[in-house]
Amino acid sequence: MPPHGRRRFSPLTAIVALFFLFSYTASAASAVLGIDIGTEYIKAALVKPGIPLEIVLTKDSKRKESAAVAFKSSRSKKDTTSFPERIYGGDALAIAPRFPGDVYPNLKPLLGLQYKGSDVVASYQERYPGLRPVEWEERGTVGFQSPSFDDGDEPFLVEELLAMELKNIRGNAVALAGKGSSIRDAVITIPAFYTAEEKRAVALAAELAGLRLLAMISDGLSVGLNYATSRTFPTINDGGKPEIHLVYDMGAGSATATVLKFQGRTVKDVGKYNKTIQEVQVLGAGWDRSLGGDALNGIIVDDMITKFMAIPKVKTLEADAQQVRGHGRTMAKLWKEAERLRQVLSANTETSSSFEGLFHEDVNFKYKLTRAEFEKLTLGHAKRVETPLKQALASAKVSLADIESVILHGGAVRTPFVQRQLEEVVGSADKLRTNVNSDEAAVFGAAFKAAGISPSFRVKDIRTSDSAAYAVFFKWTNEDKIRQQKLFVPTSHIGAEKQVPLKVTEDFTFSLFEQASSATGDLIDRPVLNVQTKNMTASVAQLVEKFGCIKGDINTSFAIRLSPIDGLPEVVKGSVSCETTAQKSGVVDGVKDFFGFGSKKGDQEPLKADKDSDSVKSSSSEETVATSSPKESKTSGTSTAEDAKATEKSKETKKRIETIHIDFSTEAVGLSPPSPEHLQRITDRLGAFDSSDRSRLKREETLNTLEAFTYKARDLLDDEGFIAASTDKERNQIEDQFKSASEWLYGDGADATREALKERLDGLHGLVDPVQRRKQEAGSRPAAVKALQEALNQTKAMVSVVRQQREAQSVAEEASSSAAAADAESASQTTTAPSSTDDGFGDLDDEPVASSTTTTAAPSPPSMLMYSEEDLKEVTDSQDSVQAWLDEKLAEQGKLGPTDDPVMLSTELTAKSKDLNDMVMKLLTKSMKVPPKSKPKPKVKSAKTKSGKKGKPSISPDILNEMPDASKITDEQISEAIAQQKSKATESKVKAEATGKEDKQENIPHGEL
């Protein structure tokens, strides 16, 4: 027995446990999300068994959600424990003119940025003057101070606000997947130009939203992956030429161009089979971080403000443009309308808009804009359209002639002048393709990528290779000199691994950084990771002391790769090693060692007692050699030479590499994650928001229920059945209470807590429910009484049938016992054959013939009465009890009026009917528990013996085979079963009596034949 506290599990138990573990894991991970985080919109696609690839709809059934979250404080300040209500998407933008300080849109450009010295932050603050961006002290990044919270409260991180939006998307996905679904795994799209800080910000937001990030994928590659899902490309193994396409993606915040190579490849499959896969590889990328729909909207807003300031009435207000730009409500209206105007101009030549009470309640403003004017205003931006495309071609080292098509993606590519500029660059409009969904191709590609990574799905084998976008360097200090080495170039594929050899023999620190371009185009070293070795000095000492390595010959190596998840450099492993020499055992030494005669000195000493014996054997051997023939001597000489060569060979040495792995610690630098304490505070605040939202939802449900109940009361007071079951006093009281509740709801009750609403609702139910119960009972009681009386009658009939069946069984068993006694008297009869006489065949030998036959009578069967007196007594007692209860309650109920509470409920009547029916069914199915009778042994009879015995009668109610499930039995079926049982009992009784008489006659001994 294993010691206390330790248990041993069998292999079978472990296998079963692992099976359930993997089954649970596969079930939990059976749904994945693809999320496209845009500057203006967030889109998501779900993959789940039964849902192959479907867009996650918003609560308003829209296919994309505006990238915005808003806090809406309660109108009442009574409840200080609840958090503000969170509103998402278009609903959040709709309240921006009313609450400009608590609506947070277009947060994507702020991810991973430092608050100080950032032009992007300054531009964002100018666009949304109602918001209060502040510096988050721990990391120096951007945070927001909400007017719904105290100034001393911790500001909201950009990642925290984005996490709320992602969590909302996740909730919509769970609603689409169905009740009980759990969604955690996701692939998120990012722009190709994202740095380590921006990628880590996205990863932090996903973590706070409860998502497990499977991978990040660039927008261009995601579009290309979606493009490849429905196509097959030339196989390069067969001499096919890869296809090269360029994806031009211009969204709200930026423009990117990505050169992609599409090709097929034949690779090894399981076993001896091959398969053809599709490959999508990023060859190069280019971008413009600030060229997008928002920049074009900003031009329209500037033109609006210019024309607005020219209004004479505005001039009288003595307000300048800076004051207008600083007015939160005014800017919210202008930006919202500018977006609409730009979209209209994509399909129309002119558009207009009007504002009432803009900036001042007495100022109305009408604005008109033509497409020609718009293109004139955006002339400088039009020249920037070609920049990302040319950068991508240069990075990929291909020309426009190599590009088969330019795939357009993003909302801003619909702008007419953007497409004209691209046509001029590529030289032909035929190369511009709109054969993908310009809004949803990226999110579909991300969802397909997620399904390919997840083990729960089997999809088309398309292998993708993203690029690093930035060069990665390795920096360390050696002999007081700072050294660096380039590991990856911007076009290096994510997932690639490099071995970095070093001549360092002591613990040291090295760093990894990426070389990114600044806003001015200059290259800036952005630190990514610091690495500190731990056991390097000790490992080198171990190689020197234990293996005899020379310190100068020891090599240090680190394996560094671009992470498949986020593309950032990471250290996979490190090691120190050296080359050592060891004696190589030959064939002869191996044989000697096997038999115990090792070549090493001192390995084995011969026993002293066997010394003489060994000498004798040795002498004998020598004599044999001396007297051998010349041929044998030659053979022996040859053998001796071979042994000598083998001995020399065994003394050869071989080279061996001794390796010790290095332990190391890593620290993210640049934009480091929040400390555990801050991260816990953020998590707790998000949890408090979730709890507050759930409480608010329950309160709204209670409020809606109370409001609906007040309207229902009006109909109840006019219902004839309700009036008949209530008194005038009760109806007056109900009417007064409902009128009071209705007035309270539209007054102080609008901001009441859920507990106060529930208290009102319970009070109204306390008045209405008793009357409703009387009304319902008055309608359902007669049918329930009738059903119970029928159940009592059926029970009486069943008891009568059972008594008759018991009598039939008793008669049958008496007849069976008499027949068994008669068989015992005629048993063991022996018949002797007559002696043979001489018939002329006396000389022949006769075969011995058995002339006697023994017959053994079957044993008398035991008494097997199906029903006992206890069974009948149980049924009759229950029947009498229910009958007495029913008579008593009917008498009491008859004395009551329609406005009195009933003393006999229909539920009680139904329950007692069910009890009686269950008891009848138990009696009917009792024979299923009776064991079958054992068959008698077969009788051995001679050819000269004739048996007159017949089979004994058997009483077995086969009605059970026709009986339905007891849980589905009906009164009609019970009545039918009782009738059949009664008929069979009568037939069995008559048959048993006749069979007994026949058995007595057949037991008379027969004469000899």
Side-chain angles (χ1 to χ4, degrees), residues 424-723:
E424 292 179 6
V425 174
V426 301
S428 173
D430 296 336
K431 275 194 173 183
L432 299 182
R433 303 284 178 82
T434 57
N435 46 8
V436 299
N437 188 325
S438 60
D439 284 329
E440 300 174 353
V443 70
F444 279 137
F448 188 89
K449 175 79 170 178
I453 296 175
S454 172
S456 303
F457 302 95
R458 184 177 180 180
V459 298
K460 181 180 179 182
D461 198 345
I462 304 177
R463 302 183 183 180
T464 59
S465 299
D466 216 333
S467 65
Y470 300 110
V472 176
F473 289 82
F474 181 100
K475 181 186 289 186
W476 78 103
T477 302
N478 188 20
E479 297 178 355
D480 297 332
K481 293 182 179 180
I482 298 177
R483 304 177 185 272
Q484 71 179 29
Q485 176 183 348
K486 180 182 284 189
L487 301 182
F488 303 100
V489 296
T491 56
S492 295
H493 288 161
I494 288 177
E497 184 174 312
K498 285 282 185 74
Q499 295 291 334
V500 183
L502 299 171
K503 281 295 182 181
V504 181
T505 56
E506 295 181 352
D507 285 314
F508 75 113
T509 301
F510 64 90
S511 62
L512 300 173
F513 64 90
E514 60 184 11
Q515 204 170 62
S517 58
S518 63
T520 59
D522 300 330
L523 294 178
I524 301 176
D525 294 343
R526 296 179 178 272
V528 177
L529 198 68
N530 284 340
V531 182
Q532 172 67 53
T533 62
K534 292 183 177 180
N535 64 332
M536 188 170 175
T537 304
S539 298
V540 170
Q542 184 178 356
L543 289 176
V544 173
E545 296 173 2
K546 186 175 180 179
F547 300 102
C549 297
I550 300 175
K551 194 171 184 179
D553 295 338
I554 295 176
N555 297 317
T556 302
S557 177
F558 289 91
I560 300 174
R561 71 171 179 179
L562 296 175
S563 170
I565 297 178
D566 54 15
L568 298 180
E570 61 180 3
V571 182
V572 179
K573 62 181 178 180
S575 64
V576 289
S577 61
C578 69
E579 189 178 84
T580 60
T581 58
Q583 186 172 344
K584 184 177 180 181
S585 299
V587 178
V588 176
D589 288 340
V591 174
K592 289 182 178 180
D593 290 342
F594 179 77
F595 287 102
F597 299 98
S599 60
K600 293 183 180 181
K601 184 176 181 180
D603 284 353
Q604 182 173 347
E605 297 292 340
L607 297 175
K608 295 181 179 181
D610 296 338
K611 186 175 182 180
D612 296 338
S613 176
D614 292 341
S615 300
V616 173
K617 292 179 180 180
S618 178
S619 300
S620 175
S621 177
E622 291 174 0
E623 290 176 359
T624 304
V625 173
T627 58
S628 62
S629 62
K631 184 177 181 180
E632 293 173 347
S633 299
K634 183 178 180 180
T635 303
S636 178
T638 303
S639 177
T640 303
E642 292 177 354
D643 290 345
K645 290 181 180 179
T647 302
E648 292 177 1
K649 187 176 180 181
S650 67
K651 294 180 181 179
E652 293 180 2
T653 59
K654 67 175 181 179
K655 295 181 179 180
R656 179 177 176 179
I657 303 297
E658 297 292 344
T659 303
I660 299 177
H661 292 287
I662 298 176
D663 295 333
F664 56 86
S665 61
T666 60
E667 179 188 6
V669 291
L671 181 62
S672 58
S675 64
E677 295 78 12
H678 279 84
L679 192 60
Q680 186 61 47
R681 286 202 295 270
I682 294 173
T683 304
D684 292 343
R685 182 160 62 180
L686 289 174
F689 263 109
D690 293 339
S691 178
S692 179
D693 287 345
R694 287 192 295 268
S695 299
R696 185 177 296 104
L697 181 61
K698 292 180 179 179
R699 178 195 174 278
E700 290 175 355
E701 291 176 353
T702 306
L703 176 62
N704 294 336
T705 303
L706 177 58
E707 190 173 7
F709 200 53
T710 57
Y711 287 111
K712 183 180 178 181
R714 302 172 186 175
D715 299 333
L716 288 176
L717 294 174
D718 296 333
D719 183 72
E720 294 181 0
F722 190 85
I723 294 174

Side-chain angles (χ1 to χ4, degrees), residues 166 210 282 299 313 504 678 745 792 963:
L166 292 177
V282 176
I299 293 177
K313 199 167 187 177
V504 181
H678 279 84
L745 276 177
L792 286 168
M963 192 63 61

Side-chain angles (χ1 to χ4, degrees), residues 231-244:
R231 293 168 174 81
T232 301
F233 304 100
T235 304
I236 59 175
N237 305 71
D238 301 333
K241 182 181 178 182
E243 296 182 12
I244 299 179

Side-chain angles (χ1 to χ4, degrees), residues 100 125-131 305 320-332 334 359:
Q125 190 168 6
E126 182 180 351
R127 175 177 174 177
Y128 302 105
L131 297 176
I305 294 176
D320 56 12
Q322 192 64 29
Q323 291 177 325
V324 175
R325 293 181 183 276
H327 194 265
R329 294 186 178 183
T330 300
M331 294 304 293
L334 293 178
F359 186 69

